[in-house]
Amino acid sequence: MKCWQKIVSVFVLTGSLFTGAALSGAAVCAASDNAVTSKAAVSSGSQTGTSELAKQAEVFLGEKNSAAKSVAVPGFAAEAAVLMNADTGEVLVARNENKRMHPASTTKMVTLLTALKLQGTRLDELATISPYAASMEESNLGVKTTDQLPLQAVAEGMMVASGNDAAVVVAENVSGSVYRFALEMNEVAKEAGATKSHFLNPHGLTEVGHYSTALDLAKIAAYGMNIPMFHDFVGDDFYKVPYENRKPVWVRTTNHFIRSKYEGANGLKTGYTEAAGECLIASATRDGHTLIVVLLNDDNRWVDAPALLDYGFAKLGVTGK
């Protein structure tokens, strides 16, 4: 009997369907050669050969699934970390996930979510830029009090260039002040499932009482990735800031994870202050599966993030190109 005939016979007689992704044609034929002893046995409806074949296939698939689940967790340097399956909320790796940490500029994820919720379609209105906003310390988008540009452009530039000035512009235009905007930020964070965080400003510069956790930040990131504008803004490598009163300016992301062109990379946010150390929230999507890794106070973040994501995809049985 030809190979394809044996595969069809197994499906008809056992009611089982093995796709090429789960079981190669070669494996089916090899198992079939051992299980089906003659064409007459199959044609007579004998269940012996096909039952044996099904058992061998189950063993094959079991070994494959077992191998995927037994992948070792890579070492990493983060003081606090979470690797999350964004589709299900399952935490695949965790270290000090509920420890209060300085979130630095990862805070801007909440700033963007709050602006999208409160301002909505009015993001196309021209932003007013105060002297306070323009005076913020680095990193900055570089806006001036005389600039004319839509609030949406400020928000997108904030995420790409990690602009502290842009974050204050967003807060002041949406809520009238940084203080009132921060109150809204905390409500939005709670909606995203972050119950152990407290935000006092829109940029993440160190302030007593401004904190989050690795798990909360993973929840916020997963929540945001389901919102199209958020998803688009956090995945940019370059962005052309469309000033209306001066020449547009190109800015590039501070996120070297995105720059690295890691397969499926689509976000999210970097952060650094002396108090927080080096932070990174990285996301990637492969075969419809999205993983998010949060690394707080990690001097090796650019290496640890792809290593943990590789582990997560292997755990899910998802391979690269």
Side-chain angles (χ1 to χ4, degrees), residues 16-95:
S16 299
L17 178 59
F18 302 103
T19 65
L23 185 60
S24 70
V28 171
C29 291
S32 179
D33 285 341
N34 292 328
V36 183
T37 57
S38 70
K39 181 176 180 179
V42 174
S43 61
S44 66
S46 171
Q47 299 298 303
T48 304
T50 52
S51 295
E52 181 61 27
L53 175 58
K55 289 178 183 178
Q56 291 186 35
E58 286 174 5
V59 170
F60 177 86
L61 294 173
E63 288 175 348
K64 181 181 176 184
N65 292 335
S66 229
K69 293 179 181 178
S70 65
V71 178
V73 178
F76 55 93
E79 180 179 349
V82 162
L83 174 64
M84 175 182 284
N85 182 336
D87 306 315
T88 64
E90 179 186 5
V91 174
L92 305 176
V93 176
R95 173 187 291 171

Side-chain angles (χ1 to χ4, degrees), residues 214-228:
L215 182 56
D216 273 5
L217 291 171
K219 291 177 179 179
I220 291 166
Y223 177 85
M225 290 301 275
N226 287 313
I227 300 173

Side-chain angles (χ1 to χ4, degrees), residues 55-286:
K55 289 178 183 178
Q56 291 186 35
E58 286 174 5
V59 170
F60 177 86
L61 294 173
E63 288 175 348
K64 181 181 176 184
N65 292 335
S66 229
K69 293 179 181 178
S70 65
V71 178
V73 178
F76 55 93
E79 180 179 349
V82 162
L83 174 64
M84 175 182 284
N85 182 336
D87 306 315
T88 64
E90 179 186 5
V91 174
L92 305 176
V93 176
R95 173 187 291 171
N96 294 327
E97 67 273 21
N98 291 312
K99 182 177 181 179
R100 287 185 180 181
M101 302 285 289
H102 295 287
S105 282
T106 63
T107 297
K108 294 183 177 86
M109 291 193 307
V110 187
T111 303
L112 177 58
L113 285 171
T114 305
L116 293 175
K117 178 188 176 184
L118 298 182
Q119 201 73 1
T121 57
R122 291 180 295 148
L123 284 171
D124 60 353
E125 296 177 0
L126 288 180
T128 299
I129 301 169
S130 71
Y132 173 65
S135 71
M136 293 303 297
E137 63 184 84
E138 295 182 347
S139 56
N140 281 331
L141 181 60
V143 294
K144 304 172 183 177
T145 57
T146 56
D147 283 336
Q148 296 176 11
L149 73 167
L151 186 57
Q152 177 175 327
V154 178
E156 189 162 6
M158 170 187 72
M159 299 308 292
V160 176
S162 197
N164 295 328
D165 54 352
V168 173
V169 172
V170 169
E172 291 180 337
N173 279 263
V174 171
S175 298
S177 72
V178 165
Y179 172 76
R180 285 195 291 272
F181 187 79
L183 295 178
E184 297 288 355
M185 288 174 68
N186 287 303
E187 292 305 310
V188 170
K190 288 177 183 176
E191 288 178 15
T195 59
K196 295 180 173 64
S197 299
H198 189 244
F199 300 100
L200 294 173
N201 64 60
H203 40 64
L205 292 174
T206 304
E207 190 172 348
V208 176
H210 183 97
Y211 57 83
S212 189
T213 70
L215 182 56
D216 273 5
L217 291 171
K219 291 177 179 179
I220 291 166
Y223 177 85
M225 290 301 275
N226 287 313
I227 300 173
M229 286 184 71
F230 181 97
H231 184 283
D232 291 345
F233 287 9
V234 301
D236 288 337
D237 190 346
F238 292 93
Y239 179 63
K240 188 177 184 179
V241 186
Y243 294 105
E244 296 185 6
N245 63 321
R246 62 183 172 108
K247 185 178 179 181
V249 176
W250 282 97
V251 293
R252 191 175 190 188
T253 183
T254 58
N255 192 337
H256 291 277
F257 171 74
I258 292 177
R259 292 190 193 186
S260 74
K261 306 301 181 185
Y262 177 86
E263 185 183 344
N266 51 13
L268 257 150
K269 191 69 194 72
T270 58
Y272 173 79
T273 63
E274 186 174 341
E278 296 185 0
C279 304
L280 175 65
I281 303 176
S283 64
T285 300
R286 293 182 188 172

